[in-house]
Amino acid sequence: MKLFDVYPILNIELSKSKGPYIFDIQGNMYLDFYGGHAVISIGHSHPYYIKTLTEQIHEISYYSNSIYISQKNKLAYLLGNISGYEDYSLFICNSGTESNENALKIASFHTGKKKVIAFKGSFHGRTSGSLSVTDNYKLISPFNAQHETIFINYQDFDFLEKKLKNQDICAVITEGIQGVSGIIDPGLDFFYKIESFCKKYNTVLIIDEVQSGYGRTGSFFSHQLYSIKPDLITVAKGMGNGFPIGGVLIHPKFQPYYGMLGTTFGGNHLACTAGIAVLEIIQKENLIENAKKMGKILLQGLRLIPEIKEIRGRGLMIGLEFDFPIQDLKNSLIYKEKVFVGTSSNPYVLRLLPPLNINENHIKLFLKKLKNALAYLFR
């Protein structure tokens, strides 16, 4: 049997990792400024993270949700306390797409409706419901196309309100900051208006913080910069620092019942231990403030590079737009300069999503490598 070939793969095999660095089987060291799609939040191979997972796996790594798992309650308590959403409930699952599936399901149960409003450029996952609110026709099979989704431009408030006035919309879903489309922040005016519209027309507001959450932008959630409170918040990626885990933060107005949601692996002992360790490290090492501080230092350096035409994002969620397609630049960075970066659906945008515990020396090293890679292209 061979693998089903659906990924464009770099010709690099990694063997170990430490902090913001990863190493291939030849011993080459790479600076990781992508974190595997923003998954690595506390750095690679953090000693406390390894210790807690090792201890847990020696005790019990898995049993189903049919028994009491104290780690689930501890994870929910810590997440509520650190994020400021103490009065919300937590449903634990396995991934970002599953988080969004369950958020959409909760909204539909609550309203009795099925139409959803999403936004141009969105990415919410690859399972059926999440994919239906993802703005990429190439990913959607005829089976996925059965859902009723309306895609709207971020600033088209008149059209948004017109659709909500029909009173047949189950939910409005948006990313805190769009990641895959090239780091697009909808902005203050958008979030204030969308919250106001959803309250006015009794529509559920879902904010997808799968990539933009967990301290990456210098706030625990990116939407918290705007002092709004959505009904449902979805999380994953940095939640487990590489261990598969996701979740939905749920407003107290939603009432659960047995069988409403379910997942075989979600909330298992080992996953929750990973989630707890991440939150404890974020809190103990003040990584949210560090992301904010390092983001400012990184931006200062990036602004001095003339080839960059636009810089978007906040904290350690940065998009760099050039006036040329960046594929060759990306390859130069990875293969010549030994630094991992990301692309986006916009071929002119490079994405930077480093671990939240980087320091000034890592930023200086990255800036040097970026300048070297640009010099190769224009030599």
Side-chain angles (χ1 to χ4, degrees):
M1 184 182 289
K2 63 179 182 179
L3 295 172
F4 196 52
D5 189 13
V6 293
Y7 299 113
I9 294 176
L10 297 171
N11 188 28
I12 297 169
E13 184 176 353
L14 301 177
S15 60
K16 62 179 181 178
S17 59
K18 185 72 174 176
Y21 297 105
I22 43 182
F23 302 82
D24 68 21
I25 57 175
Q26 282 80 37
N28 295 307
M29 183 175 77
Y30 300 78
L31 178 65
D32 187 5
F33 256 54
Y34 189 55
H37 308 311
V39 166
I40 301 301
S41 51
I42 57 170
H44 293 278
S45 304
H46 193 289
Y48 180 73
Y49 178 83
I50 292 172
K51 176 177 177 289
T52 56
L53 266 71
T54 303
E55 289 173 353
Q56 183 62 55
I57 205 167
H58 280 295
E59 298 296 332
I60 180 172
S61 59
Y62 171 80
Y63 207 76
S64 73
N65 289 297
S66 60
I67 50 90
Y68 177 77
I69 300 173
S70 63
Q71 290 93 332
K72 291 170 69 174
N73 295 295
K74 183 174 182 181
L75 175 59
Y77 171 79
L78 281 173
L79 180 53
N81 181 260
I82 296 171
S83 69
Y85 280 95
E86 295 97 332
D87 58 332
Y88 280 47
S89 299
L90 176 65
F91 176 75
I92 306 168
C93 51
N94 306 285
S95 66
T97 190
E98 192 178 340
S99 300
N100 285 322
E101 290 281 347
N102 282 289
L104 292 165
K105 186 185 286 188
I106 293 166
S108 186
F109 275 135
H110 182 76
T111 62
K113 301 168 186 176
K114 61 180 180 179
K115 288 185 181 178
V116 178
I117 289 175
F119 294 90
K120 299 288 182 66
S122 61
F123 184 91
H124 296 288
R126 289 178 178 267
T127 51
S128 190
S130 303
L131 192 56
S132 75
V133 292
T134 290
D135 184 27
N136 187 338
Y137 73 92
K138 293 179 181 178
L139 307 180
I140 299 174
S141 73
F143 171 75
N144 303 130
Q146 64 186 299
H147 300 279
E148 296 186 46
T149 304
I150 302 164
F151 289 100
I152 297 177
N153 288 314
Y154 268 134
Q155 302 307 317
D156 198 347
F157 299 122
D158 291 339
F159 187 58
L160 174 61
E161 186 167 21
K162 178 184 175 183
K163 290 298 178 183
L164 289 172
K165 278 181 179 178
N166 293 332
Q167 297 289 331
D168 60 350
I169 302 298
C170 155
V172 175
I173 184 168
T174 179
E175 290 155 270
I177 294 178
Q178 287 188 343
V180 172
S181 67
I183 316 298
I184 307 297
D185 187 346
L188 175 68
D189 194 33
F190 169 81
F191 279 111
Y192 280 173
K193 284 187 177 177
I194 196 174
E195 184 186 46
S196 173
F197 286 164
C198 284
K199 285 179 178 177
K200 182 177 179 181
Y201 297 108
N202 196 29
T203 305
V204 175
L205 174 57
I206 304 169
I207 297 189
D208 175 342
E209 293 276 6
V210 168
Q211 190 172 131
S212 55
Y214 260 66
R216 177 154 295 280
T217 62
S219 304
F220 192 88
F221 293 127
S222 65
H223 71 262
Q224 289 174 312
L225 180 70
Y226 305 120
S227 301
I228 65 162
K229 293 196 84 169
D231 300 303
L232 300 164
I233 305 162
T234 59
V235 291
K237 293 198 184 293
M239 189 177 186
N241 203 55
F243 198 98
I245 185 171
V248 188
L249 282 69
I250 303 165
H251 189 281
K253 72 182 179 183
F254 299 100
Q255 294 301 307
Y257 57 85
Y258 292 160
M260 179 184 183
L261 307 174
T263 165
T264 298
F265 298 106
N268 68 70
H269 298 78
L270 200 54
C272 288
T273 298
I276 290 165
V278 166
L279 287 170
E280 288 177 336
I281 292 164
I282 283 174
Q283 195 168 40
K284 184 178 180 181
E285 298 185 6
N286 205 19
L287 294 188
I288 298 175
E289 184 57 35
N290 189 65
K292 187 176 182 179
K293 180 181 177 183
M294 291 303 111
K296 288 179 180 177
I297 293 169
L298 179 57
L299 286 175
Q300 288 171 1
L302 291 169
R303 289 188 184 113
L304 300 177
I305 299 176
E307 292 89 347
I308 301 172
K309 300 308 173 189
E310 186 178 351
I311 304 170
R312 295 192 291 271
R314 297 198 305 274
L316 297 177
M317 186 175 185
I318 302 294
L320 307 179
E321 184 158 352
F322 297 84
D323 60 6
F324 56 86
I326 54 83
Q327 191 61 40
D328 288 343
L329 174 60
K330 177 203 168 190
N331 289 336
S332 220
L333 281 164
I334 293 172
Y335 290 110
K336 291 182 179 178
E337 287 301 309
K338 302 292 187 287
V339 54
F340 273 39
V341 292
T343 57
S344 78
S345 59
N346 182 337
Y348 295 86
V349 174
L350 201 68
R351 273 193 295 163
L352 308 180
L353 301 159
L356 309 188
N357 60 351
I358 60 168
N359 60 38
E360 283 192 61
N361 289 330
H362 302 132
I363 289 172
K364 288 176 183 176
L365 179 59
F366 170 75
L367 292 170
K368 178 183 177 183
K369 288 175 177 292
L370 177 58
K371 290 172 186 174
N372 287 346
L374 286 165
Y376 293 136
L377 293 184
F378 293 105
R379 186 171 292 166

